[in-house]
Amino acid sequence: MSQRKQGGAGMTATPEAWQRALTRFVTVIPHTRELGLEVVTVAPPEVLLRLPWHDDLLGDTARGLVHGGVLTMLLDTACGSSVLCALPVPEVCPTLDLRVDHYRPAVAGQPLWVRARSLRVTASMVFTEGMVWQEPEERPVARGIANFVRLGARNTPPGFAEALFAEEQPHV
């Protein structure tokens, strides 16, 4: 099992720790939390997410087709998640640009899956790619190429990495 040292977090992050951290990340974002986006697996710098089916994902109710904005959101979130686990220490990295190629319509009634990975990390940028599909995986519905700007430690809130990896506190 691979492990990554998180200098700022002061810990070694296993894929399981990354899964918990990225689950925390997607539950902080209101729309991904409300839609029930799930972090399935993390193998840095790659992530696999699943969006369960909801009728409100439809853009074309007459034909039962998923709205293109849902696919864009999935790609942006998955690629951004891959950025966090590709960096030496997690930092704030906003999306600079995102290109989405739509291959075929996503249809009603099936969950959406997205796999994304960071391809290259530089001092100022992170380059990523992602793929969205419904079963079977061999038939993708969309592909995304996204670039993220590294803001660095100076522009990342203090405790950002530690907050991602914080242990769950029992509810009282």
Side-chain angles (χ1 to χ4, degrees), residues 41-58:
T41 59
V42 180
E46 186 173 287
V47 299
L48 173 65
L49 308 178
R50 178 183 177 273
L51 182 64
W53 174 252
H54 298 279
D55 287 339
D56 54 357
L57 301 179
L58 289 176

Side-chain angles (χ1 to χ4, degrees), residues 50-123:
R50 178 183 177 273
L51 182 64
W53 174 252
H54 298 279
D55 287 339
D56 54 357
L57 301 179
L58 289 176
D60 183 337
T61 55
R63 295 187 298 163
L65 304 179
V66 174
H67 192 284
V70 172
L71 306 178
T72 301
M73 176 276 298
L74 280 174
L75 287 162
D76 188 39
T77 304
C79 289
S81 295
S82 79
V83 167
L84 287 172
C85 65
L87 297 170
V89 175
E91 64 187 69
V92 174
C93 296
T95 309
L96 176 64
D97 58 32
L98 171 62
R99 172 193 161 131
V100 178
D101 297 321
H102 296 271
Y103 295 145
R104 62 187 182 86
V107 296
Q110 297 181 35
L112 292 157
W113 296 83
V114 59
R115 183 181 317 278
R117 65 186 175 122
S118 291
L119 302 170
R120 184 160 188 258
V121 177
T122 71

Side-chain angles (χ1 to χ4, degrees), residues 157-171:
F160 180 72
E162 291 81 3
L164 275 176
F165 290 98
E167 293 296 321
E168 285 294 318
Q169 299 300 316
H171 297 288

Side-chain angles (χ1 to χ4, degrees), residues 108-168:
Q110 297 181 35
L112 292 157
W113 296 83
V114 59
R115 183 181 317 278
R117 65 186 175 122
S118 291
L119 302 170
R120 184 160 188 258
V121 177
T122 71
S124 60
M125 298 285 299
V126 182
F127 302 89
T128 69
E129 68 180 2
M131 190 74 67
V132 178
W133 73 92
Q134 293 177 303
E135 296 298 335
E137 185 175 355
E138 298 79 34
R139 296 197 60 217
V141 297
R143 174 183 75 127
I145 303 295
N147 301 314
F148 294 79
V149 177
R150 292 186 66 184
L151 296 184
R154 186 176 67 141
N155 295 306
T156 296
F160 180 72
E162 291 81 3
L164 275 176
F165 290 98
E167 293 296 321
E168 285 294 318

Side-chain angles (χ1 to χ4, degrees), residues 8-29:
M11 63 173 289
T12 300
T14 63
E16 294 79 16
W18 271 113
Q19 184 172 356
R20 286 188 302 275
L22 294 178
T23 296
R24 176 173 283 120
F25 174 68
V26 301
T27 57
V28 168
I29 303 167

